Amino acid sequence: MDNKIDIKNIPVEVHKPDPDKKAKYNPRDRIYVRAVKGLHQTLRRNIGFIFMAAFMLLPWLQFNGQQAILLDIVEQKFYIFGMTLWPQDFTILAWIFVIGAFALFFVTTFYGRVWCGYLCPQTVWTFIFMWFEEKLQGTRNQRMKLDQEPWSFNKLWRKGLTHFSWLAFSVLTALIFVGYFTPVDQLFIQFFTFEASFWAAVSVWFFAFCTYGNAGWMREIMCTHICPYARFQSAMFDKDTFTVTYDAKRGENRGPRARKDTDYKAKGLGDCIDCNLCVHVCPTGIDIRNGLQYECINCGACIDACDDTMDKMGYAKGSSATPQNIVLKAKLLK
């Protein structure tokens, strides 16, 4: 029996490019995040302020006449509130990281990505940079209009001052961070008098540009493409995990209506008025109404936007303000 196959007679199927798939490979569109106020954003800002203050102040604390926390890599000595650790004590640090990882996984299983939305430095610094952007360039619509305008003095000084503020805050962040590894009081003086050592200066500028790039330019790219946590979070979710979700049974069908329209359900409409505010306030630019997505960081911005809209329309809010339910049972529409 001849087992040879004549490849010339095998039909070849030619796949033509699908024009609808081109949208998946478009260059990244800039996300213009709209400011929103509410319970979850107040909680996020307060938590971020506490951890930011701790990060900024800890290197300046003194204990027994020396810096309370100093990780001196050159001398291979690590001072933590009077306790001295040597390189052979790194097993303690390893155990701390192991415990921290298990704590993160444990919390994620029950409460979803609360780390990403409320504690992650990338999120905290990104929202700080967006605050600078909003104060100097205006609201979401004003920023969009400013980017579309030709270059002028107004656009130049607003853009220039925004980036100067980003760089200044990035340098401050880098100085504080490097201050954990070298005496922070000497570092500040030597850096601004150009007397800092080569490696100290290089470290400060390296971390400054990393902060400037991550929080000013990359933003959601860090969460969606670089951070591995977003990719394996689904392995830690189960049916009881609290997540930010949209209740289609209540929201659909979407559609605008007058505030005084009480017969909208008879017209086949749900409670979602399709205002798209949940999309405008999302720092990663997703539509929460499309279901659970790995880009969602559970910051609760969409909840606050929807709660404000529901309150104006006279509908019931979708998230509870009870202490047991803040952020935990964060459903967009109940």
Side-chain angles (χ1 to χ4, degrees), residues 17 20 36 78 82-83 113 143 163 206 222 229 234 243-245 248 291-292 294-295 306 309 330 334:
D20 295 334
V36 60
F78 306 96
M83 180 175 60
R113 297 180 64 181
R143 296 196 303 272
H163 287 276
F206 172 77
M222 293 294 298
Y229 185 47
S234 58
T243 60
V244 178
T245 54
L292 182 64
Y294 75 90
E295 296 93 343
C306 188
T309 300
K334 195 181 272 183

Side-chain angles (χ1 to χ4, degrees), residues 257-273:
R257 79 292 305 266
R259 294 187 182 183
K260 298 181 180 180
D261 187 0
T262 58
D263 297 330
Y264 64 93
K265 289 189 179 295
K267 302 175 183 178
L269 295 175
D271 284 353
C272 179
I273 65 173

Side-chain angles (χ1 to χ4, degrees), residues 219-230:
R219 295 187 177 179
E220 79 284 353
I221 291 180
M222 293 294 298
C223 303
T224 58
H225 297 293
I226 298 177
C227 179
Y229 185 47

Side-chain angles (χ1 to χ4, degrees), residues 218-285:
M218 299 183 70
R219 295 187 177 179
E220 79 284 353
I221 291 180
M222 293 294 298
C223 303
T224 58
H225 297 293
I226 298 177
C227 179
Y229 185 47
R231 296 295 179 176
F232 62 76
Q233 63 157 334
S234 58
M236 295 177 283
F237 280 18
D238 58 30
K239 62 182 180 64
D240 296 319
T241 301
F242 295 107
T243 60
V244 178
T245 54
Y246 168 74
D247 191 348
K249 292 182 180 179
R250 176 185 170 183
E252 301 297 325
N253 292 313
R254 312 171 198 168
R257 79 292 305 266
R259 294 187 182 183
K260 298 181 180 180
D261 187 0
T262 58
D263 297 330
Y264 64 93
K265 289 189 179 295
K267 302 175 183 178
L269 295 175
D271 284 353
C272 179
I273 65 173
D274 204 20
C275 62
N276 284 328
L277 288 179
C278 56
V279 181
H280 295 167
V281 301
C282 180
T284 58

